[in-house]
Amino acid sequence: MTSQPPVQPQQPAEAVPTCYRHPDRETWVRCQRCDRPICPDCMRDASVGFQCPECVAEGNRGIRQAKSTFGGAVVRTPYVTWTILALNLAVFAVQFFEPAIQSYLGMNSVMVALGDEYYRLITAAFVHGGMFHILFNSWALYVIGPYLERAFGHARFIALYLVSALGGSVLGLWMDDPRVLTVGASGAIFGLFGAVFVVGRRLNLDVRGIAVLIAINLGITFIVPGISWTGHIGGLVTGAALAAALAYAPRDNRTVWQVAAIAGFVVLLAVLVVVRVPLITLSGLS
């Protein structure tokens, strides 16, 4: 008899692993954190190897997100500035074909008080009285808007712009002839001027340039006839005050303080409107 070597048991073929997120895709790559198989679409570069999307998201939760100078999210592209600028130009283009739009959107105390057209307090900042008017306001917004938007973040910047515009309209509601129609973003622009000054002081920067610019424009406001000084002064004071509240807010719970400041300014201006409207109605100047 001849002896035969013992028969070795046949090893089963190893199953090819598939991606845990895409079971129909075979892969030999595994996540470095959870060791689950991942396909090329699920691979995320890590310091060593690859990670799956879930592990990357979990790891990002523990990373402190970068903030702007005064607490907002970091702004890479000033979308709010470009949007406001485009909106102003678009409305001005509509005015070219339909000039009557000024009478529907401009600030007029009688229409606010008797017509309940409170929207005019804001929409007046998006219509302009002529080519020079729109060019100056557009240039100013183009120059200082991105700087402030990067300093405060998108949300805080749009709040600063709109509340400044509202502040200029509210002072006009109190001080202007109720029958006069006023238009323009100058209140909001002056608010941004005031904000730049405040931010410069807060960061210990040289603010002489913006101070001179504000002084020159205030001089023009009172020298050149037909300019609404109330819109300029109201916007300047409101913008500077709100910027100070945002820039000097305590670091602890800063977002809460800033939201409270914005809400407080809106409530204050709304109260001034509510108090003023009955007085215009009773005056009989309509």
Side-chain angles (χ1 to χ4, degrees):
M1 295 181 62
T2 60
S3 61
Q4 299 292 330
V7 177
Q8 299 295 328
Q10 188 174 2
Q11 298 294 328
E14 182 178 357
V16 178
T18 59
C19 175
Y20 82 95
R21 298 177 77 236
H22 303 96
D24 60 327
R25 302 180 186 179
E26 298 179 352
T27 179
W28 292 97
V29 178
R30 293 181 175 272
C31 173
Q32 293 298 311
R33 290 188 64 178
C34 66
D35 200 40
R36 290 180 293 186
I38 50 178
C39 68
D41 287 343
C42 297
M43 295 177 189
R44 303 292 185 269
D45 289 327
S47 57
V48 177
F50 300 95
Q51 292 184 8
C52 66
E54 292 180 10
C55 288
V56 171
E58 182 179 351
N60 288 338
R61 293 192 193 102
I63 299 176
R64 186 175 181 179
Q65 299 299 316
K67 297 289 185 180
S68 65
T69 306
F70 299 112
V74 172
V75 173
R76 292 179 174 83
T77 303
Y79 294 114
V80 174
T81 297
W82 304 147
T83 300
I84 296 173
L85 186 59
L87 184 58
N88 285 343
L89 294 174
V91 173
F92 188 74
V94 173
Q95 287 180 246
F96 182 80
F97 297 99
E98 186 54 60
I101 193 175
Q102 288 191 32
S103 62
Y104 293 112
L105 301 180
M107 175 59 196
N108 178 262
S109 299
V110 170
M111 296 307 298
V112 170
L114 302 182
D116 293 332
E117 298 178 359
Y118 295 99
Y119 63 85
R120 292 175 178 267
L121 295 165
I122 292 295
T123 58
F126 295 94
V127 290
H128 291 81
M131 184 62 69
F132 178 80
H133 198 195
I134 184 68
L135 287 178
F136 173 79
N137 285 337
S138 297
W139 170 82
L141 179 60
Y142 175 81
V143 171
I144 64 178
Y147 169 75
L148 290 174
E149 189 171 349
R150 291 188 173 97
F152 289 111
H154 298 304
R156 291 164 179 80
F157 174 73
I158 188 59
L160 176 66
Y161 186 90
L162 293 178
V163 172
S164 297
L166 180 60
S169 294
V170 170
L171 185 59
L173 186 71
W174 276 84
M175 304 299 296
D176 285 343
D177 184 336
R179 294 161 295 195
V180 172
L181 182 76
T182 58
V183 296
S186 300
I189 296 300
F190 266 77
L192 300 187
F193 286 162
V196 171
F197 181 85
V198 169
V199 168
R201 292 297 303 270
R202 179 69 176 85
L203 300 178
N204 295 318
L205 303 176
D206 188 350
V207 296
R208 287 176 293 182
I210 188 63
V212 171
L213 181 62
I214 292 173
I216 292 174
N217 281 279
L218 286 177
I220 295 174
T221 298
F222 290 100
I223 293 174
V224 178
I227 295 179
S228 173
W229 67 269
T230 53
H232 291 187
I233 298 297
L236 177 65
V237 173
T238 303
L242 180 54
L246 298 176
Y248 287 90
R251 287 187 174 273
D252 292 337
N253 299 317
R254 178 161 56 182
T255 299
V256 175
W257 285 100
Q258 292 172 332
V259 171
I262 295 170
F265 273 84
V266 173
V267 170
L268 174 60
L269 293 172
V271 169
L272 291 174
V273 171
V274 171
V275 172
R276 177 58 176 164
V277 163
L279 301 178
I280 296 174
T281 304
L282 293 174
S283 67
L285 292 175
S286 59

